[in-house]
Amino acid sequence: MSLFRKHKQNTAVNAPCISSDAAARFAPLMTGQLVALYKRTKETSYHLEYLRRLEQIGFAHTQAENLFLFESMILKHDSVPILCDPNYLHLNYFDLQHILLPEPKEYYILHQMFLCSEITKIWDEAEYRFHANHEQEMPVSVWEEIFRLSRYGGGELFVEYLMSMASATETPFELLQRYSVAEQGLLFKYKWNPKANEIHAYRSV
């Protein structure tokens, strides 16, 4: 499910090269995890894989490098261990008993609280919860938050947050859309539909 129209992915010319072993090891990781793992380990292959992925979907090298530096800068200290968890893609943000994001949406945008992977994953799970848990007993405030974060409630935080990232990095919004769509593709492939053998979002089609 996406608020954005999917774009045909373009194979980048002269994309950064990493070994096939590294590519296989990184395949089930969301791209924000590469940022966190690089920040923790300083292992160059995480940086190169980030650049390769973004160039694969149409970013120029300088645009990909600029976004990597931006995401490295805004990555919150508390998010690093969560993103470095190899099971991050499968973990859930909502526990259905507590509000996940208690502040107004402007707070999260102003303070640049999320990487693209994080805000995409939150939105994606809100979509799932809206459909899968609508009959489950939970506090009204929790259900209202799920509705508000999903497309059915307008998905304003998701869209406005990506728009703010585009503005802050002077990156065309269309490229941030492609990035988010690709992250949704990873969630679909590895979390929601792992038996379907879907094509990897950052591989040429």
mmCIF file of all heavy atoms in Angstrom, residues 52-89:
data_model
loop_
_atom_site.group_PDB
_atom_site.id
_atom_site.type_symbol
_atom_site.label_atom_id
_atom_site.label_comp_id
_atom_site.label_asym_id
_atom_site.label_seq_id
_atom_site.Cartn_x
_atom_site.Cartn_y
_atom_site.Cartn_z
ATOM 1 N N ARG A 52 24.666 2.808 -3.315
ATOM 2 C CA ARG A 52 24.272 1.952 -4.438
ATOM 3 C C ARG A 52 22.759 1.868 -4.551
ATOM 4 O O ARG A 52 22.187 1.963 -5.636
ATOM 5 C CB ARG A 52 24.855 0.544 -4.262
ATOM 6 C CG ARG A 52 24.622 -0.376 -5.467
ATOM 7 C CD ARG A 52 24.741 -1.836 -5.106
ATOM 8 N NE ARG A 52 23.652 -2.264 -4.229
ATOM 9 C CZ ARG A 52 22.414 -2.521 -4.663
ATOM 10 N NH1 ARG A 52 22.092 -2.371 -5.929
ATOM 11 N NH2 ARG A 52 21.496 -2.923 -3.804
ATOM 12 N N ARG A 53 22.103 1.700 -3.410
ATOM 13 C CA ARG A 53 20.645 1.578 -3.427
ATOM 14 C C ARG A 53 19.984 2.831 -3.977
ATOM 15 O O ARG A 53 19.099 2.762 -4.838
ATOM 16 C CB ARG A 53 20.126 1.295 -2.016
ATOM 17 C CG ARG A 53 20.411 -0.096 -1.517
ATOM 18 C CD ARG A 53 19.765 -0.327 -0.154
ATOM 19 N NE ARG A 53 19.963 -1.691 0.305
ATOM 20 C CZ ARG A 53 19.305 -2.233 1.322
ATOM 21 N NH1 ARG A 53 18.423 -1.509 2.001
ATOM 22 N NH2 ARG A 53 19.530 -3.485 1.685
ATOM 23 N N LEU A 54 20.406 3.989 -3.479
ATOM 24 C CA LEU A 54 19.755 5.209 -3.926
ATOM 25 C C LEU A 54 20.062 5.514 -5.388
ATOM 26 O O LEU A 54 19.186 5.969 -6.131
ATOM 27 C CB LEU A 54 20.142 6.387 -3.019
ATOM 28 C CG LEU A 54 19.137 6.649 -1.885
ATOM 29 C CD1 LEU A 54 18.980 5.426 -0.980
ATOM 30 C CD2 LEU A 54 19.507 7.869 -1.084
ATOM 31 N N GLU A 55 21.270 5.225 -5.809
ATOM 32 C CA GLU A 55 21.591 5.418 -7.226
ATOM 33 C C GLU A 55 20.810 4.437 -8.099
ATOM 34 O O GLU A 55 20.451 4.757 -9.233
ATOM 35 C CB GLU A 55 23.096 5.298 -7.438
ATOM 36 C CG GLU A 55 23.858 6.468 -6.803
ATOM 37 C CD GLU A 55 25.357 6.404 -7.022
ATOM 38 O OE1 GLU A 55 25.791 6.029 -8.130
ATOM 39 O OE2 GLU A 55 26.107 6.735 -6.077
ATOM 40 N N GLN A 56 20.542 3.267 -7.564
ATOM 41 C CA GLN A 56 19.753 2.271 -8.289
ATOM 42 C C GLN A 56 18.354 2.797 -8.627
ATOM 43 O O GLN A 56 17.779 2.450 -9.653
ATOM 44 C CB GLN A 56 19.633 0.997 -7.448
ATOM 45 C CG GLN A 56 18.783 -0.115 -8.042
ATOM 46 C CD GLN A 56 19.479 -0.840 -9.168
ATOM 47 O OE1 GLN A 56 20.715 -0.905 -9.194
ATOM 48 N NE2 GLN A 56 18.732 -1.382 -10.105
ATOM 49 N N ILE A 57 17.791 3.634 -7.764
ATOM 50 C CA ILE A 57 16.425 4.119 -7.987
ATOM 51 C C ILE A 57 16.392 5.536 -8.561
ATOM 52 O O ILE A 57 15.338 6.172 -8.594
ATOM 53 C CB ILE A 57 15.575 4.045 -6.708
ATOM 54 C CG1 ILE A 57 16.173 4.863 -5.568
ATOM 55 C CG2 ILE A 57 15.380 2.585 -6.285
ATOM 56 C CD1 ILE A 57 15.277 4.957 -4.327
ATOM 57 N N GLY A 58 17.547 6.032 -9.018
ATOM 58 C CA GLY A 58 17.528 7.275 -9.771
ATOM 59 C C GLY A 58 18.210 8.471 -9.155
ATOM 60 O O GLY A 58 18.239 9.543 -9.760
ATOM 61 N N PHE A 59 18.778 8.341 -7.958
ATOM 62 C CA PHE A 59 19.532 9.441 -7.370
ATOM 63 C C PHE A 59 20.865 9.613 -8.094
ATOM 64 O O PHE A 59 21.516 8.623 -8.446
ATOM 65 C CB PHE A 59 19.849 9.155 -5.897
ATOM 66 C CG PHE A 59 18.728 9.393 -4.926
ATOM 67 C CD1 PHE A 59 17.598 8.592 -4.934
ATOM 68 C CD2 PHE A 59 18.819 10.409 -3.982
ATOM 69 C CE1 PHE A 59 16.560 8.796 -4.022
ATOM 70 C CE2 PHE A 59 17.796 10.627 -3.069
ATOM 71 C CZ PHE A 59 16.660 9.815 -3.093
ATOM 72 N N ALA A 60 21.276 10.847 -8.299
ATOM 73 C CA ALA A 60 22.651 11.104 -8.708
ATOM 74 C C ALA A 60 23.556 10.809 -7.519
ATOM 75 O O ALA A 60 23.119 10.831 -6.366
ATOM 76 C CB ALA A 60 22.812 12.561 -9.139
ATOM 77 N N HIS A 61 24.819 10.541 -7.801
ATOM 78 C CA HIS A 61 25.745 10.202 -6.713
ATOM 79 C C HIS A 61 25.786 11.302 -5.656
ATOM 80 O O HIS A 61 25.759 11.019 -4.449
ATOM 81 C CB HIS A 61 27.149 9.953 -7.264
ATOM 82 C CG HIS A 61 28.149 9.619 -6.203
ATOM 83 N ND1 HIS A 61 28.228 8.359 -5.618
ATOM 84 C CD2 HIS A 61 29.089 10.383 -5.575
ATOM 85 C CE1 HIS A 61 29.178 8.357 -4.697
ATOM 86 N NE2 HIS A 61 29.715 9.577 -4.654
ATOM 87 N N THR A 62 25.867 12.548 -6.086
ATOM 88 C CA THR A 62 25.934 13.649 -5.125
ATOM 89 C C THR A 62 24.654 13.748 -4.302
ATOM 90 O O THR A 62 24.703 14.084 -3.110
ATOM 91 C CB THR A 62 26.195 14.983 -5.845
ATOM 92 O OG1 THR A 62 25.217 15.164 -6.880
ATOM 93 C CG2 THR A 62 27.593 15.010 -6.447
ATOM 94 N N GLN A 63 23.506 13.459 -4.910
ATOM 95 C CA GLN A 63 22.241 13.490 -4.171
ATOM 96 C C GLN A 63 22.209 12.372 -3.121
ATOM 97 O O GLN A 63 21.753 12.579 -1.993
ATOM 98 C CB GLN A 63 21.066 13.336 -5.130
ATOM 99 C CG GLN A 63 20.844 14.526 -6.040
ATOM 100 C CD GLN A 63 19.815 14.254 -7.106
ATOM 101 O OE1 GLN A 63 19.740 13.147 -7.654
ATOM 102 N NE2 GLN A 63 19.009 15.253 -7.419
ATOM 103 N N ALA A 64 22.678 11.188 -3.507
ATOM 104 C CA ALA A 64 22.699 10.058 -2.572
ATOM 105 C C ALA A 64 23.651 10.336 -1.415
ATOM 106 O O ALA A 64 23.339 10.071 -0.251
ATOM 107 C CB ALA A 64 23.109 8.784 -3.311
ATOM 108 N N GLU A 65 24.812 10.888 -1.724
ATOM 109 C CA GLU A 65 25.795 11.197 -0.685
ATOM 110 C C GLU A 65 25.254 12.270 0.257
ATOM 111 O O GLU A 65 25.406 12.175 1.492
ATOM 112 C CB GLU A 65 27.096 11.687 -1.331
ATOM 113 C CG GLU A 65 28.255 11.851 -0.376
ATOM 114 C CD GLU A 65 28.772 10.523 0.159
ATOM 115 O OE1 GLU A 65 29.469 9.813 -0.588
ATOM 116 O OE2 GLU A 65 28.462 10.213 1.335
ATOM 117 N N ASN A 66 24.597 13.268 -0.296
ATOM 118 C CA ASN A 66 24.024 14.341 0.506
ATOM 119 C C ASN A 66 22.967 13.800 1.461
ATOM 120 O O ASN A 66 22.914 14.180 2.640
ATOM 121 C CB ASN A 66 23.421 15.400 -0.421
ATOM 122 C CG ASN A 66 22.935 16.622 0.325
ATOM 123 O OD1 ASN A 66 23.630 17.161 1.170
ATOM 124 N ND2 ASN A 66 21.728 17.062 0.013
ATOM 125 N N LEU A 67 22.122 12.882 0.973
ATOM 126 C CA LEU A 67 21.075 12.329 1.828
ATOM 127 C C LEU A 67 21.674 11.415 2.894
ATOM 128 O O LEU A 67 21.177 11.371 4.027
ATOM 129 C CB LEU A 67 20.040 11.573 0.987
ATOM 130 C CG LEU A 67 18.706 11.329 1.692
ATOM 131 C CD1 LEU A 67 18.024 12.645 2.068
ATOM 132 C CD2 LEU A 67 17.770 10.496 0.822
ATOM 133 N N PHE A 68 22.737 10.695 2.548
ATOM 134 C CA PHE A 68 23.408 9.861 3.543
ATOM 135 C C PHE A 68 23.948 10.731 4.686
ATOM 136 O O PHE A 68 23.783 10.390 5.873
ATOM 137 C CB PHE A 68 24.550 9.068 2.907
ATOM 138 C CG PHE A 68 25.304 8.216 3.892
ATOM 139 C CD1 PHE A 68 24.811 6.972 4.274
ATOM 140 C CD2 PHE A 68 26.500 8.652 4.445
ATOM 141 C CE1 PHE A 68 25.489 6.194 5.195
ATOM 142 C CE2 PHE A 68 27.184 7.870 5.363
ATOM 143 C CZ PHE A 68 26.673 6.642 5.736
ATOM 144 N N LEU A 69 24.568 11.834 4.332
ATOM 145 C CA LEU A 69 25.103 12.727 5.367
ATOM 146 C C LEU A 69 23.980 13.305 6.217
ATOM 147 O O LEU A 69 24.100 13.413 7.446
ATOM 148 C CB LEU A 69 25.905 13.853 4.711
ATOM 149 C CG LEU A 69 27.210 13.425 4.028
ATOM 150 C CD1 LEU A 69 27.823 14.602 3.272
ATOM 151 C CD2 LEU A 69 28.200 12.850 5.020
ATOM 152 N N PHE A 70 22.867 13.657 5.579
ATOM 153 C CA PHE A 70 21.723 14.199 6.310
ATOM 154 C C PHE A 70 21.142 13.162 7.261
ATOM 155 O O PHE A 70 20.901 13.448 8.438
ATOM 156 C CB PHE A 70 20.653 14.653 5.314
ATOM 157 C CG PHE A 70 19.382 15.133 5.968
ATOM 158 C CD1 PHE A 70 19.318 16.382 6.564
ATOM 159 C CD2 PHE A 70 18.246 14.330 5.987
ATOM 160 C CE1 PHE A 70 18.150 16.824 7.175
ATOM 161 C CE2 PHE A 70 17.080 14.763 6.593
ATOM 162 C CZ PHE A 70 17.031 16.015 7.189
ATOM 163 N N GLU A 71 20.925 11.943 6.769
ATOM 164 C CA GLU A 71 20.341 10.920 7.634
ATOM 165 C C GLU A 71 21.302 10.532 8.760
ATOM 166 O O GLU A 71 20.859 10.236 9.873
ATOM 167 C CB GLU A 71 19.922 9.704 6.806
ATOM 168 C CG GLU A 71 18.753 9.990 5.861
ATOM 169 C CD GLU A 71 17.894 8.782 5.590
ATOM 170 O OE1 GLU A 71 18.299 7.936 4.749
ATOM 171 O OE2 GLU A 71 16.826 8.662 6.227
ATOM 172 N N SER A 72 22.586 10.547 8.471
ATOM 173 C CA SER A 72 23.566 10.279 9.530
ATOM 174 C C SER A 72 23.497 11.353 10.608
ATOM 175 O O SER A 72 23.625 11.061 11.806
ATOM 176 C CB SER A 72 24.976 10.244 8.945
ATOM 177 O OG SER A 72 25.121 9.189 8.014
ATOM 178 N N MET A 73 23.290 12.590 10.182
ATOM 179 C CA MET A 73 23.260 13.711 11.115
ATOM 180 C C MET A 73 22.009 13.686 11.991
ATOM 181 O O MET A 73 22.086 13.955 13.199
ATOM 182 C CB MET A 73 23.308 15.028 10.335
ATOM 183 C CG MET A 73 23.243 16.274 11.197
ATOM 184 S SD MET A 73 23.176 17.796 10.216
ATOM 185 C CE MET A 73 21.516 17.663 9.526
ATOM 186 N N ILE A 74 20.844 13.348 11.411
ATOM 187 C CA ILE A 74 19.601 13.418 12.189
ATOM 188 C C ILE A 74 19.308 12.134 12.959
ATOM 189 O O ILE A 74 18.396 12.109 13.792
ATOM 190 C CB ILE A 74 18.389 13.763 11.295
ATOM 191 C CG1 ILE A 74 18.044 12.607 10.330
ATOM 192 C CG2 ILE A 74 18.614 15.069 10.553
ATOM 193 C CD1 ILE A 74 16.694 12.783 9.633
ATOM 194 N N LEU A 75 20.053 11.069 12.685
ATOM 195 C CA LEU A 75 19.818 9.800 13.378
ATOM 196 C C LEU A 75 19.916 9.993 14.884
ATOM 197 O O LEU A 75 20.935 10.447 15.405
ATOM 198 C CB LEU A 75 20.836 8.759 12.914
ATOM 199 C CG LEU A 75 20.808 7.401 13.628
ATOM 200 C CD1 LEU A 75 19.452 6.723 13.469
ATOM 201 C CD2 LEU A 75 21.936 6.510 13.093
ATOM 202 N N LYS A 76 18.850 9.662 15.580
ATOM 203 C CA LYS A 76 18.804 9.858 17.022
ATOM 204 C C LYS A 76 19.555 8.743 17.747
ATOM 205 O O LYS A 76 19.499 7.568 17.354
ATOM 206 C CB LYS A 76 17.350 9.901 17.511
ATOM 207 C CG LYS A 76 16.522 11.001 16.851
ATOM 208 C CD LYS A 76 17.125 12.377 17.096
ATOM 209 C CE LYS A 76 16.278 13.487 16.499
ATOM 210 N NZ LYS A 76 16.887 14.167 15.379
ATOM 211 N N HIS A 77 20.230 9.120 18.836
ATOM 212 C CA HIS A 77 21.028 8.163 19.610
ATOM 213 C C HIS A 77 20.196 6.961 20.048
ATOM 214 O O HIS A 77 20.652 5.811 19.964
ATOM 215 C CB HIS A 77 21.625 8.872 20.830
ATOM 216 C CG HIS A 77 22.397 7.975 21.734
ATOM 217 N ND1 HIS A 77 23.668 7.517 21.440
ATOM 218 C CD2 HIS A 77 22.062 7.415 22.939
ATOM 219 C CE1 HIS A 77 24.087 6.728 22.410
ATOM 220 N NE2 HIS A 77 23.150 6.649 23.332
ATOM 221 N N ASP A 78 18.978 7.211 20.493
ATOM 222 C CA ASP A 78 18.121 6.125 20.974
ATOM 223 C C ASP A 78 17.677 5.190 19.855
ATOM 224 O O ASP A 78 17.259 4.056 20.124
ATOM 225 C CB ASP A 78 16.880 6.690 21.672
ATOM 226 C CG ASP A 78 17.225 7.362 22.995
ATOM 227 O OD1 ASP A 78 18.350 7.173 23.482
ATOM 228 O OD2 ASP A 78 16.357 8.082 23.529
ATOM 229 N N SER A 79 17.734 5.660 18.611
ATOM 230 C CA SER A 79 17.298 4.834 17.487
ATOM 231 C C SER A 79 18.377 3.871 17.002
ATOM 232 O O SER A 79 18.067 2.880 16.338
ATOM 233 C CB SER A 79 16.868 5.721 16.310
ATOM 234 O OG SER A 79 15.700 6.444 16.629
ATOM 235 N N VAL A 80 19.635 4.169 17.336
ATOM 236 C CA VAL A 80 20.740 3.360 16.806
ATOM 237 C C VAL A 80 20.619 1.888 17.200
ATOM 238 O O VAL A 80 20.667 1.005 16.323
ATOM 239 C CB VAL A 80 22.108 3.942 17.223
ATOM 240 C CG1 VAL A 80 23.244 2.992 16.831
ATOM 241 C CG2 VAL A 80 22.308 5.302 16.562
ATOM 242 N N PRO A 81 20.446 1.537 18.484
ATOM 243 C CA PRO A 81 20.354 0.106 18.821
ATOM 244 C C PRO A 81 19.133 -0.568 18.201
ATOM 245 O O PRO A 81 19.195 -1.748 17.840
ATOM 246 C CB PRO A 81 20.285 0.092 20.349
ATOM 247 C CG PRO A 81 19.919 1.475 20.754
ATOM 248 C CD PRO A 81 20.447 2.384 19.700
ATOM 249 N N ILE A 82 18.050 0.155 18.061
ATOM 250 C CA ILE A 82 16.849 -0.428 17.452
ATOM 251 C C ILE A 82 17.106 -0.734 15.984
ATOM 252 O O ILE A 82 16.805 -1.833 15.494
ATOM 253 C CB ILE A 82 15.656 0.542 17.597
ATOM 254 C CG1 ILE A 82 15.360 0.807 19.066
ATOM 255 C CG2 ILE A 82 14.415 -0.016 16.884
ATOM 256 C CD1 ILE A 82 14.397 1.962 19.302
ATOM 257 N N LEU A 83 17.681 0.232 15.268
ATOM 258 C CA LEU A 83 17.956 0.035 13.846
ATOM 259 C C LEU A 83 19.054 -1.001 13.619
ATOM 260 O O LEU A 83 19.068 -1.674 12.579
ATOM 261 C CB LEU A 83 18.352 1.361 13.202
ATOM 262 C CG LEU A 83 17.206 2.347 12.973
ATOM 263 C CD1 LEU A 83 17.744 3.758 12.771
ATOM 264 C CD2 LEU A 83 16.355 1.923 11.790
ATOM 265 N N CYS A 84 19.971 -1.138 14.559
ATOM 266 C CA CYS A 84 21.045 -2.128 14.408
ATOM 267 C C CYS A 84 20.580 -3.554 14.713
ATOM 268 O O CYS A 84 21.315 -4.518 14.451
ATOM 269 C CB CYS A 84 22.232 -1.770 15.301
ATOM 270 S SG CYS A 84 23.180 -0.345 14.717
ATOM 271 N N ASP A 85 19.384 -3.692 15.268
ATOM 272 C CA ASP A 85 18.825 -5.022 15.506
ATOM 273 C C ASP A 85 18.582 -5.699 14.160
ATOM 274 O O ASP A 85 17.871 -5.152 13.311
ATOM 275 C CB ASP A 85 17.503 -4.889 16.271
ATOM 276 C CG ASP A 85 16.921 -6.222 16.701
ATOM 277 O OD1 ASP A 85 17.123 -7.237 15.994
ATOM 278 O OD2 ASP A 85 16.237 -6.255 17.738
ATOM 279 N N PRO A 86 19.159 -6.877 13.906
ATOM 280 C CA PRO A 86 18.965 -7.537 12.613
ATOM 281 C C PRO A 86 17.504 -7.863 12.319
ATOM 282 O O PRO A 86 17.139 -8.078 11.155
ATOM 283 C CB PRO A 86 19.817 -8.810 12.725
ATOM 284 C CG PRO A 86 20.039 -9.002 14.191
ATOM 285 C CD PRO A 86 20.050 -7.639 14.803
ATOM 286 N N ASN A 87 16.662 -7.879 13.341
ATOM 287 C CA ASN A 87 15.235 -8.167 13.158
ATOM 288 C C ASN A 87 14.386 -6.901 13.057
ATOM 289 O O ASN A 87 13.153 -6.981 13.089
ATOM 290 C CB ASN A 87 14.721 -9.027 14.309
ATOM 291 C CG ASN A 87 15.320 -10.417 14.301
ATOM 292 O OD1 ASN A 87 15.411 -11.068 13.262
ATOM 293 N ND2 ASN A 87 15.766 -10.865 15.460
ATOM 294 N N TYR A 88 15.032 -5.747 12.929
ATOM 295 C CA TYR A 88 14.294 -4.485 12.916
ATOM 296 C C TYR A 88 13.134 -4.491 11.915
ATOM 297 O O TYR A 88 12.029 -4.054 12.232
ATOM 298 C CB TYR A 88 15.239 -3.323 12.598
ATOM 299 C CG TYR A 88 14.511 -2.018 12.344
ATOM 300 C CD1 TYR A 88 13.951 -1.287 13.401
ATOM 301 C CD2 TYR A 88 14.370 -1.510 11.049
ATOM 302 C CE1 TYR A 88 13.279 -0.096 13.172
ATOM 303 C CE2 TYR A 88 13.698 -0.323 10.818
ATOM 304 C CZ TYR A 88 13.150 0.379 11.873
ATOM 305 O OH TYR A 88 12.472 1.555 11.648
ATOM 306 N N LEU A 89 13.379 -4.974 10.722
ATOM 307 C CA LEU A 89 12.338 -4.956 9.695
ATOM 308 C C LEU A 89 11.077 -5.683 10.154
ATOM 309 O O LEU A 89 9.960 -5.294 9.797
ATOM 310 C CB LEU A 89 12.884 -5.588 8.401
ATOM 311 C CG LEU A 89 12.013 -5.549 7.163
ATOM 312 C CD1 LEU A 89 12.876 -5.412 5.905
ATOM 313 C CD2 LEU A 89 11.160 -6.812 7.051
#
